[in-house]
Amino acid sequence: MRCIRLLDVLLLTAVLTGCSNTGTVFQDRFFALGTLIEVSIYGVDPALATRASAQIEQDLLTMHSNWHAWQPGALSITNEQLATLKPFTPDPAVLPLLQEAGRLSQLSNGLFNPAIGKLIALWGFHDNALPIGSIPDSNAITALVQQAPGVNNVTFTGTQLVNHNPAVSYDLGAFAKGYAIDRTIERLREFGIQNAIVNAGGDLRAIGQHGDRPWRIGIRHPRQKGILASIELAGDASVFTSGDYERFFEVDGKRYHHIIDPRSGWPANKTTSVTVIHDNAAMADAASTALFVAGPDDWIEIARNMHIELVMLIDTDGIIHMTPAMQSRISLEPDTDAEIRLSKPAS
Ligand code: AMP
Ligand code: MG
């Protein structure tokens, strides 16, 4: 058991800040879902916390291999079966994700589009090493966009699926982390744990509180070292950020990042980062990606569709856009000199 040190986690998007009650927070860290997972548990016997954390590590490793976008596993087999355009029954480990991702994609007007795996692969993001010095052939991008892969191309009948569009291939990278964190919180509750944070590389869900005070987390600055803002979380809240700094490469000084606008086939180019808070982590994850793609002019409409009330979007001019509800919850760092634009309420 130990108190988290701020320096340890500044690389992450959302970080736990401060820790005065060293003796009571159990802290564990391991790699899963391709990132550093930090589990913080408050107020239970350390032996129970250790068992619970070991269990969720196992769970997350299994989920990671089932849902991986390009390594062999249940999702890659599903993509092979979808490519046949014949009915099939997918692995039960992926079916509920495909259904939920489809529902959220529709709510986002297709800006969160988990069916654009071929586009993401074309951009070179289906590899640990990113392409250096080259971008895809624009004709290949256009050809895929014109085939318009989307969740509506896949028909679900009970547990059976059939795909009608050869351009469809699922990539759950914008959503599976949130879905996985929701499952880990269910698991912690099965262990009787009511106060915890599961933080996956800066995206997290917090339940309960930290003793007699709320959990307090920091949100990483997208362009500078350190945090841009902090927020107190009590009850049940997921904080997810999509940023252009997470995976990108540069060609001739221009940044090409991993969040693709399904309408153009190119990286969404008006946003630097979006933070969404919502009680459900899968929803927060899908929404952060969708609002990033929507950009500074259209995010509020998509937020309304998805029933997301707490949003902060930083555009490529450095302007911070947020809902009034977010403004009343968040504390920007005192040295923040960016222009703040408040939207109308999202609900
Ligand atoms: P996130 O960091 O949650 O915004 O997710 C980004 C990841 O989701 C990327 O690395 C891609 O694997 C995938 N992705 C990129 N663009 C989209 C999109 N418009 N809709 C759904 N998934 C996407
Ligand atoms: Mg996301």
Side-chain angles (χ1 to χ4, degrees):
M1 281 206 293
R2 64 190 182 77
C3 176
I4 196 165
R5 285 181 298 141
L6 191 57
L7 271 181
D8 282 346
V9 289
L10 275 179
L11 290 176
L12 307 181
T13 306
V15 296
L16 273 173
T17 58
C19 182
S20 61
N21 210 350
T22 339
T24 47
V25 175
F26 167 90
Q27 188 81 34
D28 195 9
R29 294 173 166 202
F30 49 83
F31 272 90
L33 305 177
T35 191
L36 177 66
I37 309 287
E38 294 178 327
V39 182
S40 309
I41 298 174
Y42 180 87
V44 297
D45 176 56
L48 175 71
T50 305
R51 280 207 313 282
S53 186
Q55 180 64 56
I56 65 175
E57 178 175 2
Q58 282 314 307
D59 293 348
L60 287 172
L61 292 173
T62 306
M63 292 185 237
H64 184 54
S65 76
N66 282 336
W67 304 339
H68 203 283
W70 70 87
Q71 285 168 9
L75 185 63
S76 67
I77 293 169
T78 300
N79 278 328
E80 284 164 18
Q81 290 169 315
L82 286 165
T84 66
L85 307 184
K86 296 197 179 107
F88 69 99
T89 301
D91 192 311
V94 298
L95 181 65
L97 276 87
L98 303 187
Q99 286 169 322
E100 183 62 1
R103 189 181 76 82
L104 299 182
S105 182
Q106 284 165 338
L107 282 180
S108 78
N109 290 356
L111 300 187
F112 160 65
N113 184 345
I116 59 167
K118 284 182 196 279
L119 256 177
I120 293 162
L122 183 64
W123 274 98
F125 290 111
H126 279 181
D127 210 326
N128 291 332
L130 295 180
I132 297 177
S134 75
I135 56 175
D137 172 18
S138 62
N139 292 326
I141 296 173
T142 308
L144 270 177
V145 170
Q146 281 172 350
Q147 289 181 79
V151 296
N152 293 344
N153 300 136
V154 181
T155 313
F156 292 73
T157 316
T159 58
Q160 265 209 343
L161 297 190
V162 61
N163 170 29
H164 307 285
N165 183 345
V168 165
S169 180
Y170 278 98
D171 174 319
L172 300 174
F175 157 82
K177 196 202 270 184
Y179 195 94
I181 289 183
D182 284 335
R183 301 291 77 76
T184 66
I185 294 293
E186 282 171 12
R187 184 70 97 177
L188 290 179
R189 285 180 167 147
E190 282 166 22
F191 276 89
I193 292 165
Q194 301 300 339
N195 302 288
I197 294 189
V198 178
N199 180 347
D203 294 319
L204 59 85
R205 180 164 165 188
I207 55 169
Q209 52 181 21
H210 180 200
D212 55 6
R213 60 191 172 88
W215 296 107
R216 188 170 182 80
I217 60 129
I219 294 168
R220 178 187 157 161
H221 196 297
R223 285 292 181 270
Q224 295 166 18
K225 278 191 174 166
I227 63 170
L228 170 71
S230 58
I231 187 156
E232 291 188 341
L233 305 173
D236 191 347
S238 304
V239 185
F240 273 69
T241 298
S242 290
D244 71 354
Y245 49 82
E246 284 169 351
R247 296 199 80 202
F248 69 95
F249 56 92
E250 287 180 337
V251 180
D252 298 332
K254 191 168 163 22
R255 179 184 296 234
Y256 295 91
H257 63 79
H258 66 143
I259 303 174
I260 307 296
D261 186 335
R263 300 165 296 189
S264 67
W266 290 74
N269 60 8
K270 291 187 179 162
T271 313
T272 301
S273 75
V274 175
T275 300
V276 164
I277 305 178
H278 189 270
D279 52 8
N280 179 274
M283 170 60 101
D285 196 354
S288 69
T289 309
L291 301 183
F292 188 106
V293 174
D297 301 326
D298 299 326
W299 65 272
I300 188 77
E301 183 195 331
I302 305 299
R304 282 196 181 123
N305 272 359
M306 300 185 87
H307 308 291
I308 304 287
E309 289 174 8
L310 295 162
V311 183
M312 175 172 69
L313 179 148
I314 303 170
D315 69 23
T316 44
D317 295 325
I319 299 170
I320 303 176
H321 305 251
M322 55 177 133
T323 52
M326 183 65 120
Q327 192 197 32
S328 67
R329 290 283 302 275
I330 206 164
S331 306
L332 290 168
E333 287 294 279
D335 59 354
T336 310
D337 55 7
E339 181 186 334
I340 314 279
R341 279 195 201 158
L342 275 192
S343 71
K344 296 208 170 88
S347 56

